[in-house]
Amino acid sequence: MIVVGMHRSGTSLLSGILERCGFFMGREQTQNRESVFFQDLNREILDLFGCSWRCPDFLPPVAELSQPSAWLKDFMTARLDREMISGHFGIHFLKALGTQPFLWGWKDPRNSLLLPVWKTFFPYAKILHIRREGRAVALSLLAREIRREKGQKLFDLEKKKKIYSAHLALREAYLQRIREGMALFEATCTLQYENLLADPESEIEKVLTSLKIPKKEVPRDALALINPENTNKYEGSEFSWARELP
C-alpha cells in the first residue's frame, strides 16, 4: 500500500488507521508516521532532480518518470536491495515469509510526486489517496510555518495571503501529479478527509472493500484516532481573511 496525498491532508491520520487495521507501515517512523527509509529515499530522488516536496518544478513529466533512466533504476535497485529489509521491515520481514497474508506499505506525501518511479519497482501496489479541502490544506501549512517561526519572523497579513496562495497552487500541482500517477496503477482509491472525519467507520470500510483488502470489523482504536472537530479547525477568526480569497 502506497499512501499519497498533499502535505497536511490527513496522510498521517490515514497511516495510523491502516496500522490499526493490520498494516505494517515501517519499523522506524517519523513523528508524522512516515517510514524513515522511504522518506529518505524519496528525498534523495527529488534531490537528484533538483526538487523538494515544496518545489517540484524541475521534476520530469509523469510519462518520462514512468520510464526511468538507467542511472535512476540502478540507484533505486541498489538502495532497495541493500537497505529496504533492514530499513523498513527489520525483524518484521519474517512475517512476510510466513503463510499468513502480510499487509504492508508506507506513507510519505512525497510519494505523490514519485508514483511513476514506484510503479517500476512495485507494479502491483495499491494506491490510497487522501485529499482535503484546499483552503484547509493551505491554512494548515501556513499555521505550521507561523508556529515554526515564532519569535523569529513577523507575518503581516499580506505575507500570509501570499504564502496561502502559494500553498494552494502547490496543492493543485500535487493533485495533478497524483491523478496522472494513479492512472498507471490498477488498484487505487481516493478518500476525502472531511468524509473520513464525518463517518469514519463507513469510509474505512469503503477503502478496504475498494482495494479488495481482507477485513474484519474496523478496530475501535482506529476510530479513536479521529477527531471530527478537525474539519473546521482553521475557520477561526485568525484566518477569517481566507474566506474572501478565491
Side-chain angles (χ1 to χ4, degrees):
M1 174 80 72
I2 302 177
V3 176
V4 302
M6 174 61 183
H7 297 257
R8 314 304 290 178
S9 289
T11 54
S12 298
L13 171 63
L14 188 54
S15 182
I17 291 171
L18 289 173
E19 284 192 315
R20 285 157 178 77
C21 289
F23 278 80
F24 177 77
M25 301 298 285
R27 73 165 189 86
E28 183 182 2
Q29 299 179 22
T30 69
Q31 63 179 3
N32 291 320
R33 295 195 171 99
E34 283 110 1
S35 164
V36 170
F37 169 75
F38 281 106
Q39 183 190 67
D40 286 347
L41 189 48
N42 278 336
R43 281 175 170 162
E44 289 187 53
I45 298 167
L46 290 174
D47 186 60
L48 288 170
F49 288 108
C51 301
S52 68
W53 75 265
R54 181 185 294 278
C55 182
D57 298 355
F58 300 110
L59 197 62
V62 166
E64 185 176 333
L65 283 177
S66 64
Q67 297 179 336
S69 56
W71 66 265
L72 181 56
K73 289 178 70 173
D74 290 346
F75 167 78
M76 294 274 296
T77 300
R79 287 294 305 276
L80 292 170
D81 287 350
R82 186 174 67 244
E83 300 174 30
M84 186 175 72
I85 292 178
S86 61
H88 184 71
F89 292 101
I91 62 173
H92 298 275
F93 183 71
L94 297 176
K95 297 178 182 178
L97 302 177
T99 57
Q100 297 299 318
F102 181 62
L103 303 174
W104 72 277
W106 78 92
K107 168 258 176 179
D108 180 19
R110 297 165 188 81
N111 291 332
S112 308
L113 304 174
L114 296 171
L115 277 178
V117 177
W118 289 117
K119 168 70 174 179
T120 299
F121 295 91
F122 300 106
Y124 303 108
K126 300 177 188 294
I127 311 300
L128 180 53
H129 172 211
I130 185 166
R131 57 181 294 164
R132 186 180 186 183
E133 192 267 328
R135 183 172 63 181
V137 169
L139 290 177
S140 180
L141 283 166
L142 174 59
R144 185 175 69 178
E145 290 191 24
I146 292 172
R147 288 195 304 271
R148 287 177 174 176
E149 298 294 341
K150 186 176 181 181
Q152 302 178 37
K153 211 184 273 187
L154 292 177
F155 287 77
D156 60 28
L157 181 56
E158 287 307 309
K159 183 165 186 179
K160 288 178 181 178
K161 289 182 178 180
K162 184 176 180 180
I163 295 172
Y164 168 83
S165 296
H167 288 155
L168 279 179
L170 182 61
R171 173 182 175 270
E172 288 305 310
Y174 266 68
L175 290 179
Q176 181 63 30
R177 287 277 179 174
I178 290 169
R179 283 191 292 267
E180 294 179 14
M182 288 178 69
L184 302 173
F185 293 83
E186 292 186 8
T188 66
C189 180
T190 296
L191 174 67
Q192 189 69 32
Y193 176 79
E194 289 78 12
N195 293 344
L196 176 62
L197 267 56
D199 189 2
E201 190 163 8
S202 175
E203 291 300 308
I204 295 170
E205 288 181 350
K206 285 180 185 177
V207 168
L208 299 178
T209 300
S210 175
L211 295 178
K212 298 180 181 179
I213 297 167
K215 65 180 188 299
K216 300 177 182 177
E217 183 179 354
V218 178
R220 296 295 102 187
D221 60 346
L223 300 177
L225 293 174
I226 297 170
N227 180 3
E229 295 181 2
N230 284 339
T231 301
N232 300 314
K233 187 174 182 179
Y234 297 101
E235 291 293 323
S237 58
E238 179 186 1
F239 299 112
S240 59
W241 48 264
R243 300 191 193 101
E244 303 170 4
L245 299 177

